[in-house]
Amino acid sequence: MRTPIVIGNWKMNGTLGEARSLAAGIRDGLKQPVGAEMVVCPPFTALPAVGEILAQSPVGLGAQNCHWDASGAHTGEISAPMLLDLGARTILLGHSERRHELGEPDELINKKVRAVLAHGATPVLCVGETEEERRQGLTFTTIEGQLRAGLSGVASEEIARVMLAYEPVWAIGTGLNATPAQAAEVHGYLRGLISELASPEVAQGLRIIYGGSVRPENAGTLAEQPEIDGALVGGASLSAKNFLAIARSAARDGGSRGN
Ligand code: PEP
């Protein structure tokens, strides 16, 4: 059974004061349980403060990236054990902004996925095609390549601990979003690949969330698709009210997917 999950990616937004106030807004808006799991990924600088504010709440702490080594001469980097030390248990990897702005290749993302698993945290492997790739009919080829490379060398039982995020690059921060049917088609394809790479049981249990301009207005129709297990939310997660509304929509059909 797959419990819906909504992850907020705050990206490079928020001074400490702003991050504290956003985290407090989410905590205080949770007087009523939402029925979906919730995780926020603040900037590294705000992790301790946000972790403290959300400590007694059901909202989990996550991070936006990490290095593959546990420690060493890697100027400017942060490792999985350092993030775990701050309470972050969910780590986004292969976000398209890192793939495209910083040139992160699949091989490096794979090293990070394996490191995060080895340290006992949950990697959220992000995959998605560009507008040009979709136009050329290369959507499935692209995401299949990213998935196979990202999970290369990962054993079946470890794949069961991974989460996937389908994020079409053309939909991130653009206000455009994949239709529920377009997203569900890709999610179904990814689930089929997981079935092949691990097993049908692992595929049934693995959560695949959608990201790309998710807003309170479109979250409900996306959540109606049984293949969509929640959302990775960028811009809209910077408002506590909107993030909570999306989480409520993600849980709207009352919950779990799968057999
Ligand atoms: C994201 O950051 O992963 C994202 C989907 O951003 P947005 O919701 O702003 O499109």
Side-chain angles (χ1 to χ4, degrees):
M1 296 293 272
R2 306 189 301 271
T3 305
I5 180 165
V6 173
I7 302 179
N9 175 13
W10 296 2
K11 310 194 188 191
M12 196 176 72
N13 291 296
T15 59
L16 205 46
E18 288 163 346
R20 280 201 175 105
S21 130
L22 178 52
I26 294 169
R27 179 200 58 200
D28 297 345
L30 275 170
K31 304 282 182 253
Q32 311 274 326
V34 296
E37 228 175 287
M38 295 173 79
V39 171
V40 293
C41 301
F44 293 137
T45 48
L47 278 169
V50 170
E52 204 173 300
I53 290 167
L54 296 175
Q56 303 310 319
S57 84
V59 184
L61 195 63
Q64 301 173 21
N65 178 42
C66 75
H67 195 272
W68 58 87
D69 269 351
S71 63
H74 303 293
T75 304
E77 293 290 331
I78 300 214
S79 73
M82 290 171 179
L83 295 171
L84 284 161
D85 199 29
L86 297 178
R89 300 277 176 272
T90 306
I91 305 180
L92 306 180
L93 298 173
H95 191 284
S96 66
E97 284 157 11
R98 298 194 62 85
R99 288 181 189 266
H100 295 282
E101 277 179 26
L102 303 170
E104 277 197 8
D106 284 320
E107 298 68 35
L108 183 142
I109 295 162
N110 173 248
K111 281 163 83 167
K112 296 182 183 198
V113 168
R114 291 194 290 173
V116 167
L117 287 167
H119 290 289
T122 301
V124 181
L125 173 61
C126 304
V127 299
E129 81 286 4
T130 61
E131 189 176 13
E132 182 59 16
E133 285 162 343
R134 179 162 278 263
R135 210 182 48 74
Q136 289 185 20
L138 294 173
T139 298
F140 295 102
T141 313
T142 303
I143 58 156
E144 178 164 352
Q146 291 172 342
L147 184 79
R148 287 187 186 277
L151 296 181
S152 172
V154 180
S156 300
E157 62 277 15
E158 294 292 280
I159 292 179
R161 296 177 38 227
V162 171
M163 208 184 301
L164 298 179
Y166 168 53
E167 296 209 303
V169 179
W170 47 271
I172 298 178
T174 58
L176 300 171
N177 65 298
T179 63
Q182 280 174 324
E185 186 186 26
V186 175
H187 285 219
Y189 188 73
L190 287 168
R191 204 174 298 289
L193 290 170
I194 294 293
S195 183
E196 189 194 305
L197 290 170
S199 69
E201 293 71 32
V202 168
Q204 268 309 306
L206 185 140
R207 288 185 289 190
I208 308 177
I209 60 178
Y210 168 78
S213 298
V214 177
R215 303 270 176 277
E217 303 76 47
N218 57 25
T221 47
L222 287 160
E224 278 165 13
Q225 295 286 336
E227 271 300 342
I228 300 180
D229 301 318
L232 178 51
V233 189
S237 71
L238 297 174
S239 147
K241 184 167 161 265
N242 288 344
F243 187 55
L244 288 163
I246 291 169
R248 292 203 168 88
S249 294
R252 206 172 64 152
D253 64 359
S256 299
R257 285 115 161 97
N259 302 315

